[in-house]
Every structure is written in structure tokens, then in C-alpha cells.
Amino acid sequence: MSYPSPWQPWQAQSSPSMLASHADRERAVDVLRAGFAEGRLQQTEFDRRVARAYEARTVAELSLIVSDLPQGPLAVQPSAAPVQPYPAVPRTFMPAPPPPTNGKAVGAMVCGVLTTMTMGVTGIPAVILGHTARAEIRRTGEGGDGFAMAGLVLGWLSVAGWAVVMAILFLASVSST
């Protein structure tokens, strides 16, 4: 089984007769520098090729200058299917996708946060949604347990706050009579 070669800057061009850009010339010079640093080119050959690279007018000229170096362009074979830059990674080595988040857990969190703006009215729905979401999460393995727990805590704080307010009002009404 053969894998496609790594992507080369020249493969993105649609035609070898396309005029070379400054970036194309710099990429070619970078390939030459790498070849010189690896000992593949002598100083005189390196200087000559760099001068030719800066004078090149087309992408084809640049590809000829670096074609015998490892990072140089490979011959572009026309194909109907686009070439992938790297071989596909087998599913075995790819990370598992995260489980979907439970919608009721998100609802519990939203209701819990809204208790501060609704003066606790959304506290009871937050508690109900939070308990339901946690049960579903344990059963199905979905994500969102943190959302459900946050909704539960905020909901129970709201319910407890309303219980304290009602107790104070009740004691005030009993003591006033």
C-alpha cells in the first residue's frame, strides 16, 4: 500500500508555467538552505542555485532548481481525486469523540443561573431537570454531569432561600398577632 507524498508548496499550483511569487522563491531558497546544511550541496553549487532561484520567473524553473533535493517537488501526476497531504490515520489511533451533552443538564444549568434574575422562580425546574439529567447521564453515558450538578446546587440554594423567606414571613405573621 503506498501513501501519497507529503504536500509540497509547488503542488498547490495549477500549472508549472505559472509565474513564481516571492513566497515561491523563498520556499525554494529554504529547500536549498536545508540541502546545504545537510551537506548535499557544495558552497559554489548552493550560491549558484540561490542566484537562479531569485532570477526564476516560473514555478517550473523553481522546481527544476530543487528537484534533486529531498524537500523538492515531486512530479505532479494528474488525478481525478485530490491528493491528501498525509496518509489517513486509522480510527484505532484517533481519539474517541466526546459524548454528546445531555440537553436536560444544559437546561438545569440555565434554570439554575436564571434563579438570580427571576428571584428563585426557576429554582424548582432547575432541581427537577438536574435530577432527571443525572439519571439519564448515568444510564446513557452522555456528557454534562457538571452542568446538571451546577443546576442542582443553584436550584436547591434558591429553594432553601425561599424556604427561609417563607419561614421568616410566617414567624413575623404569628408574632404580630
Side-chain angles (χ1 to χ4, degrees):
M1 176 174 171
S2 67
Y3 294 110
S5 64
W7 179 82
Q8 299 295 320
W10 294 273
Q11 289 177 344
Q13 307 296 338
S14 60
S15 168
S17 63
M18 179 180 289
L19 292 177
S21 68
H22 294 299
D24 292 331
R25 289 183 192 91
E26 289 301 322
R27 281 191 292 265
V29 170
D30 287 342
V31 170
L32 292 170
R33 283 187 188 125
F36 178 70
E38 293 172 351
R40 296 178 188 276
L41 296 174
Q42 298 295 323
Q43 180 71 45
T44 55
E45 177 73 11
F46 170 73
D47 293 336
R48 189 173 56 80
R49 287 189 188 200
V50 168
R52 283 182 52 205
Y54 283 125
E55 293 170 357
R57 290 204 18 92
T58 64
V59 173
E61 291 175 50
L62 290 174
S63 66
L64 286 175
I65 294 170
V66 295
S67 63
D68 60 342
L69 296 173
Q71 293 88 3
L74 302 173
V76 180
Q77 286 122 13
S79 64
V83 176
Q84 292 182 351
Y86 298 102
V89 177
R91 294 273 315 150
T92 331
F93 300 113
M94 298 206 38
T101 304
N102 186 290
K104 290 180 184 173
V106 174
M109 173 77 165
V110 169
C111 288
V113 169
L114 288 177
T115 58
T116 57
M117 292 170 258
T118 61
M119 294 176 25
V121 174
T122 58
I124 293 175
V127 170
I128 293 169
L129 285 171
H131 281 295
T132 308
R134 292 208 56 199
E136 286 182 9
I137 288 169
R138 280 191 297 271
R139 185 172 30 94
T140 63
E142 291 178 309
D145 193 47
F147 290 158
M149 184 57 76
L152 276 170
V153 168
L154 293 171
W156 279 119
L157 285 174
S158 171
V159 169
W162 273 106
V164 168
V165 168
M166 296 301 267
I168 291 172
L169 288 176
F170 178 73
L171 291 175
S173 67
V174 169
S175 66
S176 69
T177 53

